[in-house]
Amino acid sequence: MDERDKRRIGEEIEPGGRPKAPGRLELLQRFINSHNHDFPPDWDRLGGGSKAQAWLRQKGLIGAREQVSDADAARLRELREALRALLAGRPAAVEPTRLRVTVDDAGRTALEPDSGGVEGAVATLLGILHEAQLTGAWSRMKACRQCEYAFFDRSKNRSAAWCAMSICGNRTKNRAYYRRRRAV
Ligand SMILES: [Zn+2]
């Protein structure tokens, strides 16, 4: 995979061509995959206020005139890494946020943020997390054992462990191979 394709991972490209998470969970998945630790730090889509602002606007998480500061971006990255830790089975602290229940004229309920800006974006993302836990979809979200990429495991017995066997599974094997060669 060349660099141009690697930079599209998490947005246009999923490792192994795996389908993205269903429904609104896809947005939360993209949020967690806005950076991967295997890639250079400057590829981080939330690396700094202006990059985070562009990303949140593109996803409709903030309005066209709402601003994102460097401190906001740092807070978003902290939330992202906390969510990644939860997927990887590590404990993590996530600040509570405000959501309100709306009911439309057909009686359908929805959780909506109580405020705008970055606060509202965080609330929307945590609302998605809550929804996904109610539907059970969250239990299929996993962090790749190798690179902690967030993927949705559609396998029947929920046994997938790597983002894509062709990337992370093989890389683990290659590392073992080079270690053996060096030892020789
Ligand atoms: Zn991986």
Side-chain angles (χ1 to χ4, degrees):
M1 188 178 271
D2 63 20
E3 182 181 318
R4 211 187 47 192
D5 280 347
K6 274 188 186 167
R7 279 178 178 269
R8 293 165 64 207
I9 286 183
E11 288 289 337
E12 298 95 343
I13 293 178
E14 282 302 298
R18 206 182 238 133
K20 285 189 189 292
R24 296 215 305 164
L25 187 52
E26 178 186 327
L27 181 57
L28 189 61
Q29 180 185 23
R30 284 179 190 243
F31 176 71
I32 299 169
N33 290 330
S34 57
H35 188 54
N36 186 283
H37 301 155
D38 275 356
F39 295 152
D42 66 309
W43 290 18
D44 191 338
R45 297 180 182 109
L46 304 177
S50 58
K51 282 169 97 176
Q53 182 172 294
W55 193 88
L56 293 177
R57 278 187 190 169
Q58 195 218 340
K59 298 292 178 284
L61 281 165
I62 56 168
R65 289 201 178 86
E66 289 177 319
Q67 308 280 316
V68 178
S69 68
D70 284 345
D72 291 330
R75 183 185 165 201
L76 289 164
R77 292 196 301 272
E78 206 174 289
L79 171 64
R80 177 183 69 195
E81 298 316 315
L83 294 171
R84 192 192 313 281
L86 293 176
L87 285 181
R90 295 189 299 271
V94 177
E95 293 265 318
T97 185
R98 272 178 202 285
L99 288 159
R100 55 193 177 134
V101 180
T102 60
V103 186
D104 71 8
D105 53 13
R108 278 181 302 253
T109 56
L111 287 175
E112 280 173 10
D114 208 17
S115 46
V118 171
E119 191 61 47
V122 167
T124 298
L125 292 166
L126 292 183
I128 295 172
L129 173 65
H130 179 63
E131 255 173 38
Q133 290 183 353
L134 293 182
T135 63
W138 180 250
S139 65
R140 286 190 179 273
M141 281 297 295
K142 291 182 176 174
C144 170
R145 216 177 276 174
Q146 175 75 28
C147 71
E148 300 203 332
Y149 187 89
F151 69 91
F152 190 76
D153 183 4
R154 285 171 201 267
S155 68
K156 231 179 197 165
N157 54 1
R158 304 179 187 212
S159 59
W162 317 100
C163 62
M165 216 32 174
S166 62
I167 303 176
C168 277
N170 282 339
R171 200 170 49 190
T172 316
K173 278 180 232 146
N174 285 345
R175 255 185 224 156
Y177 170 75
Y178 286 118
R179 258 200 308 273
R180 275 196 304 274
R181 268 187 55 148
R182 242 181 282 134
V184 173

